[in-house]
Amino acid sequence: AQKVTQAQTEISVVEKEDVTLDCVYETRDTTYYLFWYKQPPSGELVFLIRRNSFDEQNEISGRYSWNFQKSTSSFNFTITASQVVDSAVYFCALVYGDDKIIFGKGTRLHILP
Amino acid sequence: DTGVSQNPRHKITKRGQNVTFRCDPISEHNRLYWYRQTLGQGPEFLTYFQNEAQLEKSRLLSDRFSAERPKGSFSTLEIQRTEQGDSAMYLCASSLRTLSSEQFFGPGTRLTVL
């Protein structure tokens, strides 16, 4: 069965600290896609990144970076030098099979000024 | 504004009433998705359309739920005989291609069933 686990329900860090959000997935499919979305207090989910199962290259975009490791079925997300505007709920999602999607339960991130 | 829009933003209804929500996707997107999100959970997939064709329905979508996308443009999600368990945020998203591509989400419709 497919599953996405975001074990960290809630994290609080002080502004400018680095923070890593964990995502562990389960699937038997060899072709799949992993996503991170951000849901700020306004409610609209915003796309952050997509990775396919054949591309294990890590990616950096500004203060954001992603570490994809198939060996541990993990797709972790790090925010460097966090800012108050990073406060949101972050969701990891898995797209698999014949166009199916499952989201994790999300991690609520509080950046304290 | 060229993003995904949803109306109404909030709906309060009494148990047993019917409700209908509307989603207007980004105009060039042929894929439209409906999700349900309850407090502390991630979005749960309900159904999706490719143009006007409804291609997939989740087991979560009971017979009381129906969705349409006439002419492949806007979509409506109707819930008949609402129950308190239907209280949730209903999210709509659209994309250019399949689920493997980026989805653009609307602000959601929050349904409260009393």
Side-chain angles (χ1 to χ4, degrees):
Chain A
Q2 277 61 225
K3 193 175 179 182
V4 174
T5 302
Q6 294 182 255
Q8 304 149 309
T9 306
E10 202 158 345
I11 300 174
S12 294
V13 299
V14 177
E15 197 173 19
K16 297 183 185 172
E17 287 184 354
D18 299 348
V19 58
T20 296
L21 309 183
D22 298 333
C23 173
V24 174
Y25 63 93
E26 292 178 29
T27 180
R28 287 185 217 156
D29 291 6
T30 54
T31 301
Y32 54 88
Y33 298 83
L34 294 163
F35 292 78
W36 277 95
Y37 283 88
K38 174 182 180 180
Q39 189 174 39
S42 60
E44 290 185 39
L45 277 87
V46 176
F47 167 84
L48 295 177
I49 191 169
R50 178 188 79 161
R51 261 288 173 267
N52 74 54
S53 52
F54 300 108
D55 182 3
E56 282 192 79
Q57 274 194 334
N58 292 330
E59 180 154 339
I60 298 174
S61 175
R63 296 183 298 105
Y64 295 172
S65 62
W66 291 269
N67 183 284
F68 177 27
Q69 291 196 333
K70 287 176 77 170
S71 60
T72 55
S73 297
S74 65
F75 186 43
N76 296 338
F77 171 33
T78 297
I79 302 174
T80 303
S82 59
Q83 300 177 2
V84 172
V85 293
D86 296 326
S87 296
V89 182
Y90 291 86
F91 292 98
C92 181
L94 168 69
V95 171
Y96 63 96
D98 187 15
D99 224 20
K100 299 194 187 307
I101 187 167
I102 181 170
F103 283 81
K105 292 186 176 182
T107 297
R108 182 174 296 276
L109 178 62
H110 300 278
I111 308 297
L112 308 171
Chain B
D1 187 4
T2 56
V4 178
S5 62
Q6 292 187 247
N7 287 289
R9 294 292 306 276
H10 303 274
K11 179 72 178 178
I12 300 173
T13 191
K14 292 183 180 177
R15 189 161 45 104
Q17 298 294 305
N18 298 343
V19 294
T20 300
F21 311 140
R22 175 176 170 131
C23 171
D24 287 89
I26 293 172
S27 57
E28 60 267 28
H29 287 182
N30 55 24
R31 283 282 188 113
L32 186 147
Y33 308 89
W34 284 99
Y35 295 88
R36 181 172 68 189
Q37 186 179 21
T38 53
L39 201 61
Q41 303 294 317
E44 295 173 295
F45 171 80
L46 292 178
T47 187
Y48 81 82
F49 292 84
Q50 170 110 357
N51 299 313
E52 66 274 11
Q54 188 173 15
L55 296 186
E56 180 92 16
K57 288 168 64 171
S58 163
R59 287 172 296 175
L60 292 174
L61 216 63
S62 76
D63 291 344
R64 297 184 296 105
F65 287 69
S66 62
E68 293 183 341
R69 192 183 181 195
K71 302 178 185 177
S73 55
F74 70 92
S75 175
T76 57
L77 178 69
E78 181 184 14
I79 309 174
Q80 296 183 324
R81 306 181 302 282
T82 52
E83 301 173 356
Q84 287 186 325
D86 297 330
S87 295
M89 177 76 87
Y90 289 84
L91 299 171
C92 175
S94 68
S95 69
L96 270 173
R97 292 179 294 276
T98 66
L99 270 171
S100 61
S101 52
E102 171 186 356
Q103 293 182 65
F104 293 81
F105 282 82
T109 294
R110 181 168 296 284
L111 173 66
T112 302
V113 182
L114 302 176

